């Protein structure tokens, strides 16, 4: 049964809240945002049709779904969009919305729950014929048993939080003598971030490519894919740069990934937007690793090469609408790259950098999109992650998009915070990146080299003067930026 959505409560903050507000405006839907006290000056708060201040801890207010639902009912909101992070993958939240007669803009609670448990989802995908990595099929907490299983699988193995994500609660073990300490570290991190220390073990694939497939499905059994994204450029299992389509993927492998994704979603009866993530080894063997039952941070690159507004489609499917297009009607054009611009110091173990932004100059021009919620004078609060925004560039071919990225990154200037923009500038100048050749080990093996390269050349550019100052203190460079 279809139900027109007239007012949406956005249970999130920052650039994703602003992104949803924009989708609402184009669909003539009233937008309501909730916000913490420290977020009061956020532009999304000012651009929404209505905002509600939530008193309390800056993070916990975005996680208190009972209070969020209460506010939605009081304001007569017909739906809630969770964005990403916070409550976006909470099956309990989705069920509570349904129980209270509010549309949850996302998949069904049963699918959120299924894919929130990495072991159960892996087993479910294996049952319907999706290839997976060898490993445990049940959660494990006993360290001795876990080590025994790891020896049977054969090192290297990867220890993963059964209820985790985002690279947390994850450790790679290359030999048996490392196992005990790394198992403890992964378990403790999982307990800290996810409140659950259940782990699972699987065979580790060295330096694979990380490819994900964006799918959209309606309530009538129609499923389409919007192509793939290459998310191989990561730091410690956390994505840094995302690309659509992958510049080095074999076309036969690409078609097989699409086939697997569509078939799996049809078999499971999935609804709304989702992303299926795979690892590909050096022989192009495909392995399912997880599915994200929400809007992805990197969704803009897919929107740019397909012309499909993913956020609007989420809302319309939640209303009960059918897909507006068949698979053969979706066209793919050019290449897009997304750079996650973070307030962090690559020279200091990527330590977050918080404070007030001074002069703020943004890139623009043809083929440049910037999804952000900061401005000159904005104070980055220390309560949330350090992402300033997402710089997305597009061009018809790979060489063109790399050149576009160089130009856009060079235009982006943020005073008052240390950012990872210089690191991104080094990546796009890397010969392997320019050839479209990279895997998940690309950044971790280069990051120290990149940080030094950034400060070698003489420069008057104040964007990287802080890097030079730090190297001068270490005796690695002269005042002119010459390497010692």
């Amino acid at each position: 049964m279809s139900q027109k959505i007239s007012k949406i409560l956005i249970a999130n903050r920052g650039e994703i809240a602003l992104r949803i507000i924009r989708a609402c405006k184009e669909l003539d839907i009233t937008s309501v945002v909730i916000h913490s006290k420290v977020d009061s000056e956020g532009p999304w708060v000012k651009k929404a049709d209505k905002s509600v201040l939530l008193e309390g801890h800056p993070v916990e207010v975005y996680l208190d779904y009972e209070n969020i639902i209460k506010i939605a009912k009081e304001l007569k909101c017909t739906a809630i969009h969770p964005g990403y992070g916070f409550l976006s993958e909470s099956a309990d939240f989705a069920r509570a919305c349904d129980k209270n007669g509010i549309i949850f803009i996302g998949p069904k609670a049963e699918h959120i729950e299924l894919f929130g448990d990495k072991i159960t989802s892996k087993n479910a995908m294996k049952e319907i014929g999706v290839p997976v990595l060898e490993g445990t099929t049940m959660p494990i907490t006993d360290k001795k048993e876990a080590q025994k299983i790891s020896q049977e699988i054969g090192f290297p193995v990867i220890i993963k939080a059964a209820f985790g994500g985002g690279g947390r609660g994850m450790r790679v073990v290359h030999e048996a003598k490392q196992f005990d300490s790394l198992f403890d570290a992964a378990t403790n991190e999982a307990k800290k971030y996810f409140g659950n220390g259940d782990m699972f073990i699987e065979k580790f694939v060295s330096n694979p490519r990380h490819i994900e497939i964006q799918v959209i499905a309606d309530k009538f059994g129609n499923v389409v894919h919007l192509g793939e994204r290459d998310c191989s450029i990561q730091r410690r299992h956390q994505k840094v740069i995302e690309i659509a389509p992958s510049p080095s993927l074999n076309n036969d492998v690409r078609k097989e990934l699409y086939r697997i994704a569509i078939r799996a979603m049809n078999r499971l009866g999935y609804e709304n937007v989702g992303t299926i993530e795979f690892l590909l080894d050096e022989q192009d063997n495909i392995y399912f690793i997880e599915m994200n039952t929400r809007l992805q941070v990197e969704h803009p690159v897919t929107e740019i090469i397909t012309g499909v507004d993913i956020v609007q489609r989420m809302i319309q499917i939640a209303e009960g609408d059918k897909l507006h297009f068949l698979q053969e009607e979706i066209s793919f054009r050019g290449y897009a790259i997304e750079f996650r611009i973070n307030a962090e110091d690559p020279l200091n173990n990527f330590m977050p950098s918080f404070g007030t932004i001074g002069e703020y100059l943004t890139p623009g021009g043809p083929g440049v999109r910037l999804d952000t919620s900061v401005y000159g004078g904005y104070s980055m609060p220390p309560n949330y992650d350090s992402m300033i925004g997402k710089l997305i560039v597009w061009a018809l071919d790979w060489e063109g998009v790399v050149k576009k990225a160089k130009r856009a990154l060079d235009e982006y200037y943020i005073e008052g915070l240390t950012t990872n923009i210089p690191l991104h500038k080094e990546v796009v100048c890397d010969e392997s990146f320019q050839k479209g050749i990279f895997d998940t080990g690309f950044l971790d093996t280069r990051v120290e080299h990149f940080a030094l390269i950034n400060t070698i050349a003489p420069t008057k550019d104040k964007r990287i003067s802080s890097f030079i100052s730090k190297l001068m203190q270490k005796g690695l460079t002269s005042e002119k930026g010459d390497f010692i």
Side-chain angles (χ1 to χ4, degrees):
M1 182 182 294
S2 61
Q3 179 184 348
K4 178 63 179 175
I5 293 174
S6 57
K7 184 185 290 187
I8 292 176
L9 185 145
I10 301 165
N12 218 300
R13 62 177 300 278
E15 65 86 16
I16 191 58
L18 191 54
R19 172 72 185 86
I20 298 166
I21 290 168
R22 287 168 171 157
C24 287
K25 288 186 182 298
E26 293 183 21
L27 293 174
D28 296 320
I29 294 172
T30 301
S31 60
V32 177
V33 294
I34 54 170
H35 66 94
S36 66
K37 189 172 182 180
V38 298
D39 278 338
S40 296
E41 296 303 312
W44 66 96
V45 175
K46 299 174 183 179
K47 291 189 177 185
D49 294 311
K50 183 174 180 57
S51 63
V52 179
L53 171 64
L54 300 182
E55 298 287 353
H57 188 277
V59 174
E60 291 175 0
V61 295
Y62 292 106
L63 297 172
D64 185 354
Y65 67 77
E66 291 181 350
N67 187 46
I68 291 170
I69 289 174
K70 177 185 174 184
I71 293 168
K73 291 176 72 174
E74 288 174 352
L75 296 177
K76 294 182 171 52
C77 296
T78 47
I80 294 178
H81 198 307
Y84 54 71
F86 294 125
L87 292 167
S88 62
E89 292 178 288
S90 169
D92 290 340
F93 180 39
R95 287 195 186 96
C97 287
D98 186 58
K99 183 179 178 180
N100 284 275
I102 296 172
I103 297 171
F104 177 82
I105 301 176
K108 293 182 290 189
E110 64 192 70
H111 288 124
I112 298 174
E113 192 165 60
L114 169 65
F115 289 105
D117 182 335
K118 286 187 170 56
I119 296 175
T120 303
S121 62
K122 178 180 173 182
N123 294 338
M125 294 294 261
K126 185 177 181 180
E127 282 183 18
I128 60 175
V130 176
V132 300
L133 287 167
E134 181 184 1
T136 53
T137 57
M138 296 287 289
I140 188 166
T141 56
D142 185 276
K143 184 163 53 179
K144 288 185 178 179
E145 179 65 19
Q147 186 173 43
K148 179 183 176 183
I149 291 170
S150 297
Q151 289 174 331
E152 290 172 356
I153 293 173
F155 292 100
V157 299
I158 186 165
I159 304 168
K160 288 184 179 180
F163 298 92
R168 303 290 189 183
M170 187 182 295
R171 296 293 187 279
V172 177
V173 185
H174 291 280
E175 49 188 347
K177 66 181 181 181
Q178 301 175 310
F179 190 87
D180 284 1
S181 61
L182 291 176
F183 186 87
D184 289 341
T187 300
N188 291 336
E189 190 171 69
K191 289 177 179 177
K192 176 182 177 182
Y193 285 97
F194 311 116
N196 188 306
D198 288 0
M199 311 303 292
F200 73 98
I201 313 293
E202 69 183 18
K203 183 67 178 176
F204 177 68
V205 180
S206 299
N207 298 329
R209 284 167 292 160
H210 185 144
I211 306 293
E212 60 186 31
I213 309 300
Q214 176 73 65
V215 295
I216 302 182
D218 64 22
K219 298 177 184 293
F220 305 96
N222 302 306
V223 184
V224 297
H225 70 79
L226 297 182
E228 85 278 3
R229 295 185 287 257
D230 193 320
C231 303
S232 300
I233 299 181
Q234 307 173 1
R235 186 184 72 84
R236 299 176 183 173
H237 307 293
Q238 295 188 343
K239 299 169 186 175
V240 177
I241 297 172
E242 296 98 349
I243 300 160
S246 173
S248 60
L249 192 61
N250 178 289
N251 201 43
D252 289 338
V253 177
R254 174 179 283 115
K255 290 178 180 178
E256 179 63 7
L257 285 165
Y258 296 164
R259 187 193 68 80
I260 291 171
I262 295 295
R263 183 173 181 271
M265 294 303 96
N266 269 317
R267 290 285 300 274
L268 294 173
Y270 190 82
E271 293 177 14
N272 214 280
V273 163
T275 299
I276 311 170
E277 307 203 10
F278 300 91
L279 292 182
L280 273 65
D281 65 17
E282 292 179 349
Q283 288 75 44
D284 282 337
N285 293 309
I286 297 168
Y287 304 101
F288 165 79
I289 50 173
E290 65 179 351
M291 179 169 183
N292 290 303
T293 54
R294 55 168 168 80
L295 185 67
Q296 292 282 87
V297 177
E298 58 270 24
H299 75 276
V301 290
T302 298
E303 292 185 326
I304 286 180
I305 66 165
T306 62
V308 175
D309 188 314
I310 294 174
V311 180
Q312 288 189 14
R313 296 293 84 75
M314 290 185 76
I315 295 169
Q316 291 169 329
I317 289 171
E319 289 179 321
D321 198 6
K322 287 186 177 181
L323 285 175
H324 290 185
F325 36 73
L326 301 173
Q327 186 66 65
E328 54 267 28
E329 295 175 310
I330 300 170
S331 59
F332 301 93
R333 189 166 180 260
Y335 286 87
I337 308 175
E338 175 179 292
F339 300 89
R340 299 193 188 193
I341 307 299
N342 298 329
E344 60 188 14
D345 186 354
L347 278 181
N348 189 21
N349 198 31
F350 292 84
M351 183 71 69
S353 172
F354 298 105
T356 301
I357 295 174
E359 187 177 4
Y360 184 67
L361 304 176
T362 60
V368 177
R369 167 175 165 178
L370 184 62
D371 283 19
T372 185
S373 60
V374 308
Y375 51 86
Y378 177 79
S379 292
M380 286 283 292
N383 314 91
Y384 312 107
D385 67 45
S386 61
M387 191 168 76
I388 293 170
K390 304 176 310 197
L391 172 62
I392 307 104
V393 295
W394 174 89
L396 280 172
D397 56 34
W398 178 248
E399 181 182 2
V401 79
V402 172
K403 289 181 178 179
K404 186 87 65 178
K406 289 180 182 179
R407 190 265 293 171
L409 287 164
D410 193 53
E411 288 182 12
Y412 207 172
Y413 173 51
I414 305 171
E415 186 181 60
L417 299 173
T418 302
T419 76
N420 64 347
I421 291 175
L423 181 63
H424 286 306
K425 291 169 74 172
E426 291 293 346
V427 169
V428 297
C429 289
D430 181 86
E431 184 177 352
S432 293
F433 181 84
Q434 292 179 357
K435 292 179 179 179
I437 302 171
F438 38 77
D439 53 40
T440 56
F442 175 90
L443 194 55
D444 286 336
T445 58
R446 287 168 166 79
V447 68
E448 183 178 352
H449 173 68
F450 282 164
L452 290 174
I453 289 292
N454 247 321
T455 60
I456 292 173
T459 179
K460 293 182 181 179
D461 190 340
K462 54 186 176 180
R463 280 170 289 189
I464 61 173
S465 62
S466 63
F467 281 75
I468 292 179
S469 297
K470 289 179 181 179
L471 284 185
M472 286 175 62
Q473 292 171 9
K474 296 177 182 178
L476 295 173
T477 185
S478 70
E479 186 174 359
K480 292 183 179 179
D482 300 319
F483 188 71
I484 296 174

